[in-house]
Amino acid sequence: MVTGRSSWVRSRFYGAGMALRLQAVTFEVADVSVVAAFWAELLDRQVLAEPGGALVPGDHRQVGLRFVTSDTEQLGPRRLHLHLTSNGPADQQRTVETALDLGGRHLDVGQEPDADYVVLADPDGNAFCVIGPGNGFLAGTGYLGEVTCDGTRDVGLFWRDALDWPLVWDQNQETAVQSPLGGTKVSWGGPPVEPKHGRNRQRFDLVTTDPSSEAERLLWLGATHRADLFDGVELADPDGNEFGLRAG
């Protein structure tokens, strides 16, 4: 339920409803075709070519993934990664084997040998976890269960209000939101948050029918303006994470 500040913002800018959608999580990568094909095969989705990149689209419950060409280097740890769910031990193993066959690799992030999740990296080095069965937090989310991010509680509350998604977790400075329709959750791990080292190579891409009004609303909620784009605007959330806003 949306109350207080977020309710006022919604009525102030829209009256009856919101018009903002999280279309995709965008990754800057060296080879778009390779990485997009990897994720399309792994998630059983299609690849849509775009100028300078490719979209692996989601649906009303599963977030999309966008890959754009970039030769910038990753400075510091990546600030988000994906969690895939499993229906059982055999299903988890099948996902791991498929990812490895497609060009993924195992990744050591200090996890315990008996961890119930497997950490992998895609062909560009973007980490993701294949979560074991029985994870209650991800129950019912679908295959792409979670986008988990570094971030403060304040940034989780910002995205709650920005997307008008309910807060489904709020404990020990950790937060998570989820569409009212269910599906992929987006979470933030709380402090300590690693300092940023330059521009993020992973970010959210939002679409709206009214970019001008949405940009005004997001700025009021605590976003900052970073750059005007040929087809929209780039903003940053209260933790300084860049995100795109375009018409769509």
Side-chain angles (χ1 to χ4, degrees):
M1 181 171 63
V2 181
T3 59
R5 172 188 169 109
S6 58
S7 177
W8 185 89
V9 172
R10 181 171 58 183
S11 62
R12 159 79 167 81
F13 288 96
Y14 284 109
M18 304 285 285
L20 188 67
R21 180 167 61 91
L22 175 58
Q23 182 188 43
V25 178
T26 292
F27 297 82
E28 295 182 7
V29 299
D31 192 328
V32 164
S33 61
V34 169
V35 185
F38 171 90
W39 282 104
E41 287 289 336
L42 190 60
L43 298 177
D44 192 24
R45 301 184 188 178
Q46 60 181 325
V47 177
L48 301 180
E50 297 181 325
L55 176 67
V56 178
D59 57 28
H60 64 286
R61 297 184 75 251
Q62 293 278 282
V63 69
L65 304 178
R66 173 172 281 118
F67 303 96
V68 297
T69 302
S70 174
D71 58 4
T72 60
E73 295 185 7
Q74 177 67 39
L75 300 176
R78 291 171 168 84
R79 295 174 71 88
L80 65 81
H81 66 276
L82 307 178
H83 285 174
L84 306 183
T85 63
S86 305
N87 294 323
D91 184 48
Q92 182 183 24
Q93 184 60 31
R94 184 163 48 250
T95 297
V96 171
E97 292 175 354
T98 300
L100 296 175
D101 289 344
L102 291 170
R105 58 182 172 85
H106 284 282
L107 191 63
D108 184 358
V109 295
Q111 66 270 36
E112 297 294 331
D114 59 349
D116 63 354
Y117 56 90
V118 179
V119 185
L120 302 172
D122 71 15
D124 197 71
N126 296 294
F128 64 100
C129 297
V130 184
I131 307 299
N135 185 294
F137 180 70
L138 298 181
T141 57
Y143 190 23
L144 179 47
E146 184 178 13
V147 180
T148 184
C149 314
D150 290 345
T152 62
R153 181 176 185 270
D154 285 346
V155 87
L157 300 182
F158 167 84
W159 284 107
R160 173 200 64 185
D161 296 341
L163 296 171
D164 197 29
W165 285 9
L167 197 66
V168 295
W169 183 267
D170 186 9
Q171 295 185 24
N172 301 319
Q173 300 296 307
E174 300 175 353
T175 51
V177 298
Q178 185 182 35
S179 166
L181 301 176
T184 307
K185 292 181 177 179
V186 185
S187 65
W188 295 267
V193 177
E194 181 77 17
K196 280 191 66 180
H197 300 278
R199 176 183 172 84
N200 290 342
R201 297 181 78 237
Q202 306 84 32
R203 59 185 176 272
F204 296 162
D205 268 348
L206 313 177
V207 294
T208 176
T209 57
D210 189 349
S212 178
S213 293
E214 271 300 335
E216 182 184 358
R217 184 180 71 91
L218 293 168
L219 291 169
W220 195 92
L221 286 171
T224 55
H225 180 273
R226 288 297 176 88
D228 291 323
L229 308 174
F230 76 93
D231 58 349
V233 64
E234 182 175 272
L235 306 173
D237 68 22
D239 277 0
N241 301 298
E242 301 87 358
F243 65 93
L245 174 65
R246 295 174 172 82

